[in-house]
Amino acid sequence: MSNASLFMSFKNSVAKHYGDNPGKMLIHTGVIGWILSAAAQVVAIVINDKIPKEQKMFLIPQEMADAAVNIVSFYVVTQSFASVAAKLVKTGKWLSKPVRDFLEKGGYGAKLGKKGFDVKADGNLTDEIAKKYDKFEKGIDVIATTVGSILSCNIITPLIRNEIAADRQKKSISKMNANKNVQATIEAPNSTSSYSVRKPTLKEFQNLSYSNLYSANSSLKI
């Protein structure tokens, strides 16, 4: 199969799945972007020789956890915005003026925005009005998805990620302090307070001895 045929096949597949729902394409491409970004971060950590192996064992799971939070929150928030907007358009709560005027003249004014009412299925739209409705529906879908993605990426997702990261950091600090206390207890088992005392080096001991010796000799009189 030639490259042109592959491209046409891919284009037809995209048009088939996303032609009537451009907001869905924005959501899916956004999720793919998050996945690729997270994969790049993990690979960068793995191939970085300047990062010790012990730190990699901590950083890689942390990066993967952050990626999961980013992807899930992005998808849930953005999809929720798109779903709510689609429902408002479908029931007639949000409509362009030509479509609303057509439905009101047809006696459907009281049903607009009511649960169970479907503009396309129950409104007896003409071909011209149906095209205007489809155009408005797709526009609202794109706008709602864009607004949802902006709020998710810039406000909601960072807040959720920071809360989880803060809780994880707090647990890590507690665990680290607990390990220090255990180490101090082992090093000073007979001490009333568990703390680690730095042992003097041989050089410090020699310097102290020489200092005391010179101090003693200076007090001698000939």
Side-chain angles (χ1 to χ4, degrees):
M1 184 178 292
S2 64
N3 293 334
S5 298
L6 287 173
F7 176 75
M8 289 299 298
S9 177
F10 174 76
K11 186 175 70 172
N12 292 335
S13 177
V14 171
K16 179 181 178 180
H17 289 89
Y18 301 111
D20 295 330
N21 197 344
K24 183 179 180 181
M25 183 179 68
L26 292 176
I27 295 174
H28 288 177
T29 53
V31 170
I32 293 173
W34 277 112
I35 293 174
L36 294 177
S37 175
Q41 292 285 351
V42 172
V43 171
I45 294 173
V46 172
I47 65 177
N48 192 336
D49 296 333
K50 295 181 180 180
I51 301 177
K53 183 178 180 180
E54 293 76 11
Q55 292 186 15
K56 288 184 179 182
M57 294 176 64
F58 170 77
L59 291 175
I60 292 175
Q62 176 178 287
E63 187 62 36
M64 295 177 67
D66 288 342
V69 172
N70 292 336
I71 294 169
V72 171
S73 61
F74 171 82
Y75 182 82
V76 170
V77 172
T78 308
Q79 182 63 48
S80 298
F81 269 75
S83 298
V84 171
K87 186 176 181 179
L88 292 174
V89 174
K90 181 179 180 180
T91 59
K93 186 71 173 179
W94 287 354
L95 289 174
S96 62
K97 190 177 185 304
V99 178
R100 182 177 295 278
D101 291 343
F102 175 84
L103 291 172
E104 289 178 349
K105 290 179 181 179
Y108 298 101
K111 295 182 179 181
L112 296 179
K114 302 297 182 181
K115 184 178 180 180
F117 181 73
D118 190 327
V119 172
K120 293 192 72 172
D122 305 326
N124 294 321
L125 305 179
T126 63
D127 291 342
E128 182 182 357
I129 296 298
K131 290 179 180 179
K132 292 181 179 181
Y133 172 83
D134 290 338
K135 183 178 180 180
F136 179 80
E137 183 183 35
K138 291 178 182 178
I140 290 295
D141 188 28
V142 171
I143 293 173
T145 303
T146 303
V147 172
S149 63
I150 292 173
L151 291 176
S152 173
C153 295
N154 295 282
I155 299 176
I156 299 175
T157 298
L159 288 175
I160 295 175
R161 184 179 64 240
N162 290 342
E163 286 294 327
I164 294 177
D167 181 69
R168 187 166 55 224
Q169 184 183 42
K170 183 178 179 181
K171 291 180 180 178
S172 299
I173 292 175
S174 299
K175 184 178 180 180
M176 182 175 62
N177 290 335
N179 292 336
K180 286 183 178 180
N181 290 335
V182 171
Q183 180 182 2
T185 303
I186 294 174
E187 291 181 355
N190 298 325
S191 175
T192 56
S193 60
S194 297
Y195 60 89
S196 179
V197 180
R198 188 177 68 86
K199 298 178 180 180
T201 63
L202 178 60
K203 185 176 180 180
E204 291 174 340
F205 180 80
Q206 290 174 343
N207 291 338
L208 180 62
S209 299
Y210 294 154
S211 176
N212 291 337
L213 177 61
Y214 293 150
S215 176
N217 290 338
S218 62
S219 62
L220 293 179
K221 296 182 179 178
I222 301 176

